[in-house]
Amino acid sequence: MATSDPNKLISKADKLTRLSLTRWNADWKSATILYEQAANGFRVAKDYEKAKIAFEKASKGQEILSSPWDAAKHMESAAALAKDLRQWKEVEDFYRRASELYMECGRPQPASDALAKGARALEDTMSEEAVQLYTDACTILEEDGREQMAFDLYRAATNVYVKLEKYTDAASLMLRFGLAADKSNATNSQSKAYLSAIIIYLYAHDFKQAEQCYNDCSQVDAFLRSDQNRCASKLLGAYTDGDVEEIKRITQSSTISHLDHVIIKLARKLPTGDVSALKAGNAEDEEQPLDENDLT
């Protein structure tokens, strides 16, 4: 009767893959079956460290046997166990490897999904790596012409950047989201993304960048004709006038209420700085006489 002791199974499998004077060829087919049995046995016994190692070995076996799909599945199992063990660097490494194996199969959707799983697992502990995983997952989908499948990943990555207070990066990601939405003919999502970027710049008290972003995005006809454009125009106008009450009123509008939750929270905290300085600066610009001799 075959043993069900996972320790004995993995020991036997190791011997089958080890070359010696009496074994000139590794028997990866038999060994991989034993590694899979051992992995499941360890997992049932809640010995997650040994289960993780067994899944790694099973993944290697399936890769050697030219079965990257099964290899990817086992690597994802190892990644999930690494997450339970709070071994965060391995979580990143294993999900990345799983993604690569799925791409070897020509399966971009599960390849992207694997990276997204890793990103979600790392959001609180390795935030920078999580954002990179999210953006890499988006890239895989975009290169496959599936931009619409990346929308939630862009939102998730932006949320992480906002938590890190990296507002310029968050705004840039929203603009990239807008471009992906444009390619998907998702004009409403595109306009929301552009308005979100403008709000992020305003929250960071970078009025010039917010204004530049508005002008650039308004070159896109879909945004120019949107409710989001009108909202952004009013918001920037209120900043120019130094009208705090009007800014607060606009941030309570239904247009902003339909944005993502993290953007709504930022908007409701506007203005974050002294907008009276903007009004004073604009007044000075208007009062300066034109120098006819200055052609610059």
Side-chain angles (χ1 to χ4, degrees):
M1 183 177 175
T3 180
S4 59
D5 181 347
N7 287 294
K8 290 180 180 178
L9 290 170
I10 204 166
S11 178
K12 185 178 178 182
D14 285 342
K15 287 177 182 176
L16 291 172
T17 61
R18 200 177 298 133
L19 302 183
S20 66
L21 291 173
T22 57
R23 188 187 305 283
W24 290 11
N25 297 302
D27 183 0
W28 276 101
K29 187 174 182 180
S30 299
T32 300
I33 293 170
L34 294 172
Y35 283 136
E36 290 168 344
Q37 292 173 350
N40 289 320
F42 283 131
R43 186 161 57 182
V44 169
K46 291 184 167 53
D47 190 338
Y48 296 140
E49 180 63 35
K50 287 184 177 179
K52 180 197 71 177
I53 293 168
F55 274 119
E56 279 186 83
K57 291 183 175 184
S59 178
K60 180 182 178 182
Q62 290 291 3
E63 193 177 351
I64 289 170
L65 295 171
S66 300
S67 182
W69 176 266
D70 291 319
K73 285 290 185 185
H74 290 328
M75 194 53 73
E76 281 203 82
S77 295
L81 290 163
K83 178 188 171 186
D84 290 337
L85 292 163
R86 303 179 68 79
Q87 296 171 350
W88 305 118
K89 188 67 179 75
E90 287 195 341
V91 171
E92 180 189 10
D93 292 343
F94 292 167
Y95 275 121
R96 279 201 177 279
R97 184 61 191 138
S99 178
E100 290 168 1
L101 289 163
Y102 282 128
M103 287 302 287
E104 285 183 27
C105 306
R107 299 293 297 275
Q109 185 66 60
S112 175
D113 290 344
L115 294 181
K117 287 176 190 174
R120 283 190 288 272
L122 297 176
E123 276 191 17
D124 296 328
T125 54
M126 293 171 63
S127 302
E128 293 280 4
E129 289 80 0
V131 170
Q132 192 59 55
L133 286 166
Y134 275 132
T135 52
D136 289 348
C138 290
T139 299
I140 288 173
L141 293 172
E142 287 170 353
E143 288 178 351
D144 194 50
R146 302 186 187 192
E147 285 86 0
Q148 197 152 6
M149 302 298 290
F151 289 3
D152 286 340
L153 301 180
Y154 277 122
R155 293 186 183 103
T158 301
N159 289 355
V160 178
Y161 268 142
V162 169
K163 285 179 188 175
L164 292 171
E165 298 182 358
K166 293 196 168 188
Y167 300 116
T168 300
D169 290 327
S172 295
L173 210 52
M174 276 286 110
L175 294 173
R176 183 175 162 184
F177 175 14
L179 185 61
D182 182 41
K183 290 179 180 177
S184 303
N185 295 316
T187 54
N188 192 43
S189 294
Q190 180 183 17
S191 296
K192 285 182 177 180
Y194 290 161
L195 175 57
S196 296
I198 292 163
I199 288 169
I200 292 169
Y201 282 129
L202 290 175
Y203 184 81
H205 204 56
D206 191 344
F207 177 79
K208 289 296 182 187
Q209 193 60 53
E211 193 173 44
Q212 183 63 53
C213 182
Y214 171 79
N215 290 336
D216 290 344
C217 293
S218 293
Q219 301 300 310
V220 179
D221 191 51
F223 179 64
L224 184 63
R225 295 182 286 104
S226 69
D227 290 339
Q228 289 78 16
N229 179 284
R230 286 185 283 277
C231 179
S233 178
K234 290 177 183 176
L235 193 55
L236 291 170
Y239 265 82
T240 301
D241 293 339
D243 191 337
V244 173
E245 290 308 311
E246 179 65 4
I247 292 168
K248 290 183 178 295
R249 188 190 68 76
I250 294 167
T251 61
Q252 297 294 325
S253 68
S254 61
T255 303
I256 286 180
S257 296
H258 285 97
L259 299 177
D260 293 330
H261 182 64
V262 69
I263 304 300
I264 296 170
K265 284 179 68 176
L266 297 183
R268 299 278 159 83
K269 293 176 183 176
L270 295 177
T272 53
D274 182 12
V275 295
S276 61
L278 289 173
K279 183 178 181 181
N282 288 323
E284 282 181 21
D285 290 342
E286 289 173 8
E287 290 171 8
Q288 282 184 351
L290 179 65
D291 183 351
E292 294 180 0
N293 295 317
D294 185 1
L295 301 178
T296 59

